[in-house]
Amino acid sequence: MLRTKRIYAEPSEDDGTRVLVDRLWPRGVSKEEANLDRWEKDLAPTNELRKWFGHDPERWEEFLRRYRAEVEGKEELLAQLRQEAGAGTVTLLYAAKDEEHNNAVALKRYIEEG
């Protein structure tokens, strides 16, 4: 099972494998507080795409299209997440305030559709 969660929310045993999928380390969060299993920077949007999107909901559909094009070549990382999600819970962590329009939500959708 795949879930998404803000990195600022309290870690929980229900999170299963905790994977940060942002390119930048979240402000104000120590590595201990993050309680990560790993940080997959390579699955985050490029800096160019991230800056273009700017978490603007009006750009969401285009962001999804562009982000999909970026992650399509990263099948090894995606396969690992699919395998882990098939065996248990994987929580994709993100720092964005918008809980509906962020790269973790986009990545979850991509993995579930693939």
Side-chain angles (χ1 to χ4, degrees):
M1 176 170 74
L2 275 174
R3 297 172 40 179
T4 61
K5 184 176 186 177
R6 283 194 82 212
I7 187 101
Y8 300 105
E10 192 70 30
S12 141
E13 287 186 29
D14 295 342
D15 292 343
T17 302
R18 291 172 53 87
V19 182
L20 179 62
V21 293
D22 283 351
R23 185 155 304 273
L24 305 175
W25 187 262
R27 289 185 182 162
V29 177
S30 71
K31 295 202 189 250
E32 293 77 31
E33 291 169 331
N35 194 25
L36 293 182
D37 290 289
R38 69 180 180 279
W39 182 12
E40 292 289 4
K41 285 186 266 193
D42 291 337
L43 287 175
T46 59
N47 285 328
E48 295 78 18
L49 180 56
R50 186 176 57 79
K51 289 175 184 175
W52 171 84
F53 176 47
H55 299 286
D56 179 351
E58 291 184 16
R59 292 184 171 184
W60 177 242
E61 291 303 319
E62 180 63 16
F63 172 79
L64 288 174
R65 190 187 69 71
R66 292 182 186 190
Y67 181 54
R68 177 179 294 265
E70 288 185 358
V71 297
E72 280 180 346
K74 301 176 180 175
E75 194 49 48
E76 191 173 310
L77 295 173
L78 296 169
Q80 182 180 358
L81 287 175
R82 282 187 190 104
Q83 181 181 20
E84 290 171 334
T89 301
V90 174
T91 300
L92 304 175
L93 300 164
Y94 62 92
K97 291 179 184 172
D98 187 334
E99 297 185 11
E100 295 177 27
H101 304 100
N102 64 67
N103 59 295
V105 169
L107 181 59
K108 178 180 183 286
R109 183 187 294 187
Y110 180 77
I111 290 170
E112 289 176 342
E113 290 173 357

